[in-house]
């Protein structure tokens, strides 16, 4: 398997660690740091000195920020401020946020909803919370219309020295794809990647990267938001036909309805920071059951050990937490430990860009 044109050559630094968990058991864990060979990029992405930022978890600073956010009049102001910061930051980075949003909202995307939506789906309680400064969370057309611009902005923030979004994606998505490839080749035996499930696929950005990387595989994007899936399908139709068309599924990742051992690769990108720990545990258990022996799971999300996140300014981390109701719970979750408890082996984790970690693991053969 070769990396697509979306990637550079990467140097990989691997460091073994032995970590003691809460039960006193010691488990070996591999920490992998990847660096792009592109000029102006760091040789390796830097971890901070803490296990997690001081503004997360149960620290005094975190409780103070939580109390401010809980005050509803101030919370509304913070959410509005967070939204404006996102839009301004994106447009300063040459991401036409408003134009992209208008194009979707004034399109025929609404026609996709009827064929996508599962009307019998019962949404989990946590999903009905406001997210990302949207009162309806992800269950709105505005959130769906702005999702791709927000994703592009996230990538630019992760690699601030990149001159374009494409260049930033060469690092962010390139390292992610390389982590998947290396782990699967090393631990899956002779298992080919024939079937891929992208959990929490949003408007299909990560799904399309997976489909481009593994063009012979059958790829399914799954999400709880029918609005996001409608945009994903609408955009995919505009791109044109594939040899293996992407399938879109409106379902709960905690109970997908797929038969056991249906996939060789399950991806969960930038999802878990929006979930309470109970949902994270359930999704990992579901993913384990959906993977064939030798199958690979890959999880990408914020890294609590990122030096950049640990040194974020008080204004920015307050705005961030005002739009992410489960961020503290995510930072307190021992994600590697939860993966092992679900049955995964060969758990590896490390920074794949300055802000995000990628975790890979295997289902025993």
């Amino acid at each position: 398997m070769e990396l697509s044109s979306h990637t550079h050559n990467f140097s990989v630094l691997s460091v073994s660690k032995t970590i003691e968990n809460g039960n006193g058991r010691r488990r070996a864990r591999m920490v992998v740091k990847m660096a792009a060979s592109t000029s102006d990029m760091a040789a390796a992405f830097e971890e901070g000195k803490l296990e997690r930022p001081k503004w997360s978890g149960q620290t005094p600073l975190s409780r103070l920020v939580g109390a401010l956010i809980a005050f509803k009049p101030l919370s509304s102001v913070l959410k509005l401020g967070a939204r404006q910061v996102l839009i301004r930051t994106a447009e300063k980075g040459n991401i036409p946020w408003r134009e992209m949003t208008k194009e979707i909202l004034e399109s025929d995307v609404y026609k996709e909803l009827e064929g996508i939506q599962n009307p019998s789906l019962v949404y989990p309680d946590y999903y009905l919370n406001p997210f990302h400064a949207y009162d309806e969370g992800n269950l709105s057309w505005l959130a769906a219309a702005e999702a791709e611009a927000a994703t592009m902005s996230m990538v630019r923030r992760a690699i601030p020295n990149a001159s374009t979004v494409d260049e930033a994606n060469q690092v962010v998505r390139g390292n992610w794809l390389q982590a998947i490839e290396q782990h699967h080749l090393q631990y899956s035996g002779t298992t080919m990647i024939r079937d891929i499930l992208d959990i929490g696929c949003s408007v299909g950005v990560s799904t399309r990267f997976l489909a481009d990387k593994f063009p012979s595989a059958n790829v399914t994007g799954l999400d709880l938001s029918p609005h996001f899936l409608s945009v994903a399908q609408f955009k995919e139709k505009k791109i044109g036909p594939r040899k293996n068309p992407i399938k879109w599924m409106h379902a709960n990742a905690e109970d997908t309805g797929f038969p056991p051992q249906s996939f060789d690769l399950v991806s969960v990108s930038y999802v878990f920071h929006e979930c309470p720990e109970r949902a994270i545990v359930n999704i990992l258990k579901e993913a384990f059951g959906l993977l064939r022996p030798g199958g690979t799971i890959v999880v990408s999300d914020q890294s609590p050990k990122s030096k950049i996140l640990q040194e974020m300014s008080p204004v920015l981390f307050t705005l961030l937490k005002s739009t992410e109701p489960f961020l503290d719970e995510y930072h307190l979750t021992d994600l590697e430990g939860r993966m092992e408890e679900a049955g995964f082996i060969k758990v590896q984790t490390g920074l794949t860009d300055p802000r995000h970690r990628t975790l890979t693991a295997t289902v025993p053969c």
Side-chain angles (χ1 to χ4, degrees):
M1 292 181 289
E2 292 183 354
L3 285 175
S4 70
S5 60
H6 293 294
T7 61
H8 282 303
N9 295 320
F10 298 94
S11 59
V12 181
L13 309 175
S14 299
V15 181
S16 294
K17 282 188 177 182
T18 302
I19 298 177
E20 185 170 305
N21 65 14
N23 297 322
R25 292 185 295 120
R26 296 175 69 81
R27 62 173 179 267
R29 186 181 303 162
M30 188 71 75
V31 176
V32 182
K33 292 186 180 181
M34 297 186 180
S37 59
T38 310
S39 60
D40 298 326
M41 302 297 176
F45 305 130
E46 193 171 358
E47 291 185 347
K49 297 179 180 180
L50 307 174
E51 285 298 307
R52 64 186 63 87
K54 289 182 178 179
W55 49 261
S56 68
Q58 299 300 316
T59 64
L61 178 58
S62 177
R63 289 197 293 270
L64 173 61
V65 174
L68 293 173
I69 294 170
F71 183 56
K72 288 188 176 181
L74 180 57
S75 177
S76 298
V77 173
L78 289 172
K79 289 178 182 178
L80 178 62
R83 176 174 167 75
Q84 293 305 315
V85 166
L86 283 173
I87 295 173
R88 285 198 303 270
T89 301
E91 294 184 337
K92 285 180 181 178
N94 296 318
I95 298 167
W97 183 299
R98 292 178 177 88
E99 291 179 23
M100 292 174 67
T101 301
K102 182 180 179 182
E103 182 180 355
I104 292 295
L105 292 177
E106 294 181 355
S107 72
D108 294 330
V109 68
Y110 311 99
K111 296 178 180 179
E112 308 291 340
L113 184 64
E114 185 176 355
I116 286 279
Q117 189 169 23
N118 175 7
S120 64
L121 181 64
V122 177
Y123 295 102
D125 56 354
Y126 70 86
Y127 197 72
L128 301 176
N129 278 279
F131 282 107
H132 302 158
Y134 305 108
D135 290 338
E136 296 174 298
N138 293 333
L139 297 173
S140 74
W141 285 113
L142 181 59
E146 294 186 331
E148 184 167 10
T151 300
M152 294 167 68
S153 183
M154 177 270 292
V155 171
R156 287 299 302 268
R157 289 197 306 274
I159 312 296
N161 292 333
S163 59
T164 64
V165 174
D166 285 344
E167 186 176 307
N169 268 323
Q170 289 174 351
V171 179
V172 174
R173 303 294 183 176
N175 278 353
W176 169 65
L177 290 171
Q178 183 165 333
I180 295 170
E181 180 185 49
Q182 289 182 341
H183 190 100
H184 196 79
L185 286 174
Q186 184 172 359
Y187 297 113
S188 68
T190 59
T191 303
M192 297 295 294
I193 295 181
R194 297 166 293 167
D195 299 285
I196 299 172
L197 177 64
D198 188 21
I199 286 177
C201 68
S202 182
V203 294
V205 176
S206 57
T207 322
R208 286 190 286 274
F209 272 99
L210 289 167
D212 290 342
K213 174 67 180 72
F214 303 101
S216 62
N218 301 305
V219 180
T220 301
L222 180 147
D223 204 273
L224 268 170
S225 172
H227 305 83
F228 282 17
L229 291 169
S230 296
V231 173
Q233 183 165 280
F234 177 76
K235 286 181 171 289
E236 184 66 14
K237 287 180 177 179
K238 291 183 67 176
I239 292 172
R242 295 179 184 268
K243 178 182 177 181
N244 291 319
I246 298 173
K247 298 177 183 177
W248 308 103
M249 184 171 181
H250 183 213
N252 187 346
E254 298 177 65
D255 184 12
T256 63
F258 286 115
Q261 299 185 11
S262 293
F263 299 95
D264 304 297
L265 173 66
V266 171
S267 172
V268 189
S269 294
Y270 312 111
V271 173
F272 281 164
H273 74 278
E274 297 180 2
C275 299
E277 185 173 16
R278 57 187 167 85
I280 293 173
V281 169
N282 288 338
I283 292 171
L284 289 173
K285 289 179 180 178
E286 177 74 359
F288 184 85
L290 292 176
L291 283 164
R292 298 175 181 126
T296 298
I297 185 172
V298 57
V299 176
S300 294
D301 217 311
Q302 290 185 24
S303 173
K305 293 185 178 181
S306 161
K307 183 178 181 181
I308 288 177
L309 293 185
Q310 290 187 7
E311 296 179 356
M312 187 181 291
S313 73
V315 172
L316 287 180
F317 68 63
T318 302
L319 292 175
L320 173 65
K321 293 185 72 170
S322 72
T323 67
E324 301 285 3
F326 299 109
L327 193 59
D328 279 343
E329 200 164 339
Y330 166 74
H331 279 174
L332 289 172
T333 298
D334 176 7
L335 196 50
E336 296 92 335
R338 294 293 177 262
M339 293 173 79
E340 291 177 347
E341 289 170 5
F344 290 103
I345 60 173
K346 308 298 183 183
V347 178
Q348 296 186 352
T349 182
L351 293 175
T352 41
D353 68 59
R355 291 172 177 261
H356 303 104
R357 59 179 172 175
T358 295
L359 299 94
T360 51
T362 300
V363 172
C365 294

